[in-house]
Amino acid sequence: MTAPKDAAAVPKSVHVERVLGSGRAARAQLVLATFDDGRQIRCVEKLFSPGWLTRVIYRVSFQSPFAYQSNRDAILACFYRRRVAAAVIAASDTNASVAMPIYVRFDQPTRSWVLAATWIDGRGIRPAPVDTARVVRRRKSSGDGSQLDAPEIDAPEIDQIVQIMSELERLLVDCGMVGSGWQVSPRAIVSTANLLRTGQRYTIVDLESGIPAVLVPKYIVSAARCGSCPPFDELDAKRLRSWLRTNDRLLLFRLGSQRHRQLHNDAERLIEHSESWKAGELALLRRPWRLLRSNGFAEYQQECLRRWRQDGITGSSSDQQPSTIAQHAIWWTAWLPLGMGRVSGRLIGDQSLRAEAMLCLRSAAVRREKLRQRITNAQQQWIASERLPPSVRLSAITFVMHHVLQSIAPARLHRWLVDHQQRRASFLWCVLLICSGRYQSWYGQRMIVKAIDRWQSSDRISVHEAAQLRDDLRGHEVHAYLRGFGGHIALKAVSPVLAPAKVGGLAMFLSQGNVWGLLPMLILPLVRTLIAVASWRATSRDRVPHAAALATSWLPTFGLIAFPLQMVATRPRLSSFLIRDSASQLGRRIPIYGGSDSRTEIALIRATDYVIAAMKIVSAWSRRWTGEIDGEHLSAVIHIPITRRSRFGRWLDRETQRRIEAETQRHGCAADELTRIARAA
């Protein structure tokens, strides 16, 4: 573990307590850092190890590796940028602060730089509560423009944070920290996730970009004026020095003499490291005239040599450097995919590695021993990352196969492809989800409980609201709705098979007028209706309402919402929560513009007010149209006999029980209550 000399002292050991989250460029993890003097600090480390998309975007933009992962001056610029921004914001009237940096270190196992900052035990944005009445208010106000006699509603929290972000952006841009202004800009859709709320105050926990700021023309124009395109955490040194001189007295008064002096020192360090970082990248669009000077490539060459020594490509000795031909060869081979570039570069730049490789070529025994060690180390890493089962034993051929899969497939897909027990478990899961009503009910409740716990842990709902949702989940009719909805979802598995038949049948109907061609389009609505009827018939003694489900299950495509619509009528609070959670999950999975606590996620959650209002209207209409259907009255018309369990049914019961017990043991005591509820159902 190494660190720059001009940053704070690094700890001698770091214990990772838990991973807080992953973004486009870094993974945030809560750690307990122990220093040489015995001090222990709980802090958050940002490990800059971006995914392939972020690396490709940065490489195309600046023709260099991702700076915060590999560039020493870039990570030091992050360190001093936070300190300068914290002092500037502290001297302003903005109700915000910055998570202070603690140390910078280089993580050798991942070959990535790490920035540690103060742990902020805060929360993200709390979505506004369900407000379906605003649909009516908006419709009436747009009709006659009159004021409505509606109760006063507090402004959503998203409006408060956007106002504070606008003030922060204006302040940071005015003082020359343009890139930091982009990180808190309301026009950056995901920037709301960079702030956490503690009490009535917001704290900026992320001032480091992952991709260039190309989505807002203001920043593109500002960067173009400085001759730097595309913009990436840009710093206007001239404007920063001018702003510090202009506001010197105010800063001295509000910060005190010691912190005022520290601010000026940090600003000069920030400017120094930012200029060294930018000069150490090729960046053909960043002041390209600098490359025309006689020493235009000197700083870039020095940065390449430093990075190669840091990554162990040219060895650790700083007094030896490869020849000019070797440097060019290392630079070009770095573009090779699947780790071949690093291996080729090390063979070219590291003399000891070349000697070791020649020894392996001459001696079969050494070659076998090196291969065995390599396979053993890789096997242990893949088992630890759950890519392989613990009982696997690799040969040379399977090692190559798994190495390729590691490069192109995520861990879960890799495990599924190579582990027959995993495939069998997946197949059994599909069978139980399609055929076992008991497992459908148990699995659905487990997913809902996890969603409730997730919202409660992120402080989006209170403990009382979470308890109310869990009480709603215990309703006897919820089991029936979950089973029916699980059956409807299971029907989606046959959609790929029916899709060609639907297209062909529609073509037959349009070309020949044969109405039998429309039959494939009626199969899924008919089966959905039968599932709804069977669910209603099975719960007729308990008087479980099914009016909305029966009224809408026959609709093509939209029949999938039959049971969620029915739940709106009987459990509106739980149904609204599930709709909002689905919108939240969709907002988090949208590439680039989505993510946790992003404006995309909050906007989708807020948009569900219209969905909930529409479903309430449809539910009320279906109840008026059908009334509450009496099971005893229609039992003679629709009779579903209950026969003895078949051999398949008994096998299904055993597998359901075994799967529930296995997952209960795996997920802990939290699933015990669900098991009890499922047995009672």
Side-chain angles (χ1 to χ4, degrees):
M1 187 185 301
T2 59
K5 294 181 180 179
D6 50 355
V10 299
K12 66 177 182 179
S13 64
V14 172
H15 172 67
V16 179
E17 295 186 352
R18 72 175 188 269
V19 177
L20 301 176
S22 299
R24 297 175 182 83
R27 181 177 74 246
Q29 52 193 20
L30 182 64
V31 304
L32 183 64
T34 304
F35 293 85
D36 293 333
D37 56 1
R39 290 182 301 119
Q40 288 187 331
I41 298 178
R42 181 172 280 103
C43 58
V44 175
E45 284 191 349
K46 287 188 66 176
L47 178 66
F48 289 95
S49 183
W52 68 271
L53 181 59
T54 301
R55 296 198 307 269
V56 167
I57 293 176
Y58 196 93
R59 176 79 72 166
V60 172
S61 301
F62 306 108
Q63 299 81 54
S64 297
F66 189 74
Y68 294 151
Q69 181 181 19
S70 59
N71 194 305
R72 172 184 177 276
D73 288 300
I75 199 68
L76 285 174
C78 295
F79 184 89
Y80 291 108
R81 184 190 302 124
R82 288 202 179 205
R83 291 174 63 159
V84 172
V88 170
I89 294 174
S92 68
D93 297 324
T94 307
N95 187 25
S97 59
V98 177
M100 293 296 292
I102 300 176
Y103 60 83
V104 165
R105 69 179 181 88
F106 185 76
D107 187 59
Q108 194 63 44
T110 59
R111 300 193 301 276
S112 304
W113 283 101
V114 176
L115 174 67
T118 307
W119 178 37
I120 305 299
D121 190 12
R123 62 170 177 85
I125 304 173
R126 180 178 294 165
V130 178
D131 182 20
T132 55
R134 72 187 181 97
V135 181
V136 180
R137 291 197 302 270
R138 178 169 295 184
R139 184 177 60 190
K140 290 184 178 180
S141 62
S142 62
D144 55 6
S146 60
Q147 298 291 330
L148 299 177
D149 295 331
E152 291 292 332
I153 299 177
D154 294 336
E157 192 172 300
I158 182 66
D159 297 340
Q160 303 175 21
I161 193 173
V162 166
Q163 179 181 358
I164 292 179
M165 290 171 63
S166 300
E167 298 174 3
L168 290 171
E169 180 188 17
R170 192 180 310 112
L171 174 64
L172 294 174
V173 171
D174 288 345
C175 72
M177 304 178 68
V178 182
S180 301
W182 162 255
Q183 284 295 98
V184 295
S185 173
R187 286 164 291 185
I189 303 298
V190 299
S191 60
T192 49
N194 297 336
L195 284 81
L196 293 180
R197 181 165 180 164
T198 53
Q200 299 299 319
R201 190 177 182 84
Y202 286 95
T203 302
I204 305 173
V205 296
D206 188 2
L207 276 177
E208 297 78 38
S209 298
I211 58 175
V214 296
L215 301 179
V216 179
K218 169 184 175 181
Y219 292 93
I220 299 178
V221 173
S222 177
R225 290 174 179 173
C226 299
S228 178
C229 283
F232 187 89
D233 284 351
E234 299 300 325
L235 176 70
D236 192 333
K238 184 182 298 184
R239 190 189 302 182
L240 176 59
R241 290 190 175 109
S242 175
W243 188 89
L244 291 176
R245 286 195 301 269
T246 304
N247 299 273
D248 188 69
R249 291 186 177 181
L250 177 64
L251 294 173
L252 179 60
F253 173 74
R254 294 194 172 183
L255 298 178
S257 59
Q258 182 177 359
R259 196 172 182 187
H260 172 264
R261 188 165 52 252
Q262 184 68 46
L263 170 60
H264 283 274
N265 294 335
D266 292 340
E268 292 302 321
R269 293 280 188 90
L270 171 61
I271 294 172
E272 175 188 352
H273 289 297
S274 296
E275 291 178 349
S276 299
W277 157 30
K278 302 293 184 179
E281 294 181 335
L282 192 56
L284 298 177
L285 297 180
R286 182 188 295 147
R287 296 188 296 274
W289 52 86
R290 64 186 171 84
L291 301 176
L292 300 178
R293 298 194 298 264
S294 58
N295 59 346
F297 287 94
E299 292 182 87
Y300 175 67
Q301 182 182 14
Q302 293 299 320
E303 171 59 27
C304 287
L305 292 173
R306 189 207 60 78
R307 187 176 68 248
W308 293 340
R309 287 194 298 269
Q310 170 184 284
D311 295 342
I313 293 178
T314 58
S316 58
S317 177
S318 59
D319 56 351
Q320 296 180 357
Q321 65 181 36
S323 62
T324 304
I325 298 178
Q327 293 178 25
H328 283 83
I330 295 173
W331 192 90
W332 283 108
T333 55
W335 295 86
L336 295 176
L338 302 178
M340 293 185 294
R342 174 174 170 80
V343 174
S344 302
R346 290 192 64 191
L347 288 174
I348 297 172
D350 194 344
Q351 183 178 0
S352 61
L353 184 64
R354 286 199 304 271
E356 187 177 347
M358 293 300 298
L359 180 61
C360 289
L361 291 176
R362 289 194 296 265
S363 173
V366 175
R367 188 164 58 248
R368 285 193 298 268
E369 179 62 22
K370 291 292 183 182
L371 179 61
R372 187 189 63 80
Q373 292 178 359
R374 180 70 180 91
I375 293 176
T376 301
N377 294 336
Q379 177 179 315
Q380 293 175 353
Q381 293 176 3
W382 292 336
I383 291 176
S385 60
E386 297 186 352
R387 286 182 172 270
L388 296 180
S391 59
V392 72
R393 292 296 180 268
L394 300 182
S395 63
I397 297 177
T398 56
F399 165 73
V400 175
M401 180 190 70
H402 290 301
H403 187 73
V404 174
L405 284 175
Q406 180 197 18
S407 304
I408 63 177
R412 295 181 64 182
L413 178 59
H414 187 173
R415 178 69 176 267
W416 187 86
L417 291 173
V418 302
D419 189 355
H420 70 280
Q421 293 183 353
Q422 197 84 359
R423 293 194 298 271
R424 180 183 179 277
S426 300
F427 175 76
L428 177 61
W429 177 82
C430 293
V431 171
L432 295 180
L433 193 59
I434 294 173
C435 303
S436 176
R438 179 184 169 194
Y439 186 77
Q440 292 169 0
S441 177
W442 182 87
Y443 185 78
Q445 291 190 52
R446 174 170 165 263
M447 299 303 293
I448 295 174
V449 168
K450 289 175 64 176
I452 295 173
D453 292 341
R454 184 170 59 249
W455 280 57
Q456 182 182 352
S457 62
S458 60
D459 204 14
R460 289 189 166 185
I461 57 176
S462 64
V463 177
H464 177 66
E465 292 172 331
Q468 288 180 325
L469 292 173
R470 293 189 181 95
D471 289 339
D472 288 344
L473 191 59
R474 294 188 178 93
H476 66 282
E477 73 277 5
V478 176
H479 306 288
Y481 300 153
L482 289 175
R483 287 195 295 268
F485 184 63
H488 285 187
I489 290 294
L491 289 178
K492 300 297 291 182
V494 301
S495 295
V497 180
L498 287 179
K502 289 180 180 180
V503 174
L506 183 61
M508 180 188 300
F509 172 76
L510 294 177
S511 60
Q512 303 177 8
N514 190 345
V515 294
W516 290 103
L518 299 178
L519 183 60
M521 304 184 67
L522 302 177
I523 293 178
L524 287 182
L526 179 62
V527 177
R528 277 199 302 264
T529 304
L530 292 177
I531 292 175
V533 171
S535 176
W536 158 74
R537 182 64 182 86
T539 58
S540 59
R541 293 184 179 180
D542 297 331
R543 304 281 184 161
V544 175
H546 277 74
L550 292 172
T552 55
S553 59
W554 57 272
L555 296 174
T557 305
F558 294 99
L560 189 64
I561 68 170
F563 283 98
L565 182 64
Q566 182 63 60
M567 197 179 294
V568 170
T570 56
R571 299 285 175 175
R573 182 168 47 207
L574 181 61
S575 175
S576 300
F577 170 76
L578 294 178
I579 294 172
R580 284 158 64 87
D581 180 67
S582 300
S584 172
Q585 295 300 314
L586 176 62
R588 295 187 178 201
R589 287 178 169 83
I590 294 178
I592 300 178
Y593 296 101
S596 176
D597 294 319
S598 64
R599 295 186 67 182
T600 301
E601 182 195 9
I602 301 301
L604 288 178
I605 294 175
R606 197 173 184 185
T608 57
D609 290 350
Y610 296 93
V611 178
I612 295 170
M615 294 186 73
K616 286 183 177 179
I617 294 173
V618 175
S619 177
W621 169 81
S622 66
R623 288 199 303 271
R624 287 197 301 267
W625 181 59
T626 61
E628 287 303 333
I629 300 178
D630 187 359
E632 295 181 359
H633 177 71
L634 293 181
S635 60
V637 180
I638 302 177
H639 178 65
I640 302 177
I642 300 177
T643 60
R644 295 180 60 186
R645 301 292 288 171
S646 63
R647 181 178 299 178
F648 174 75
R650 293 194 296 271
W651 173 85
L652 196 64
D653 290 341
R654 291 194 303 270
E655 290 298 325
T656 300
Q657 178 66 24
R658 187 185 64 81
R659 184 67 182 252
I660 289 177
E661 291 178 353
E663 294 194 18
T664 300
Q665 184 177 6
R666 177 181 178 185
H667 295 284
C669 60
D672 289 343
E673 185 179 359
L674 294 180
T675 304
R676 180 182 57 78
I677 294 174
R679 287 175 178 172

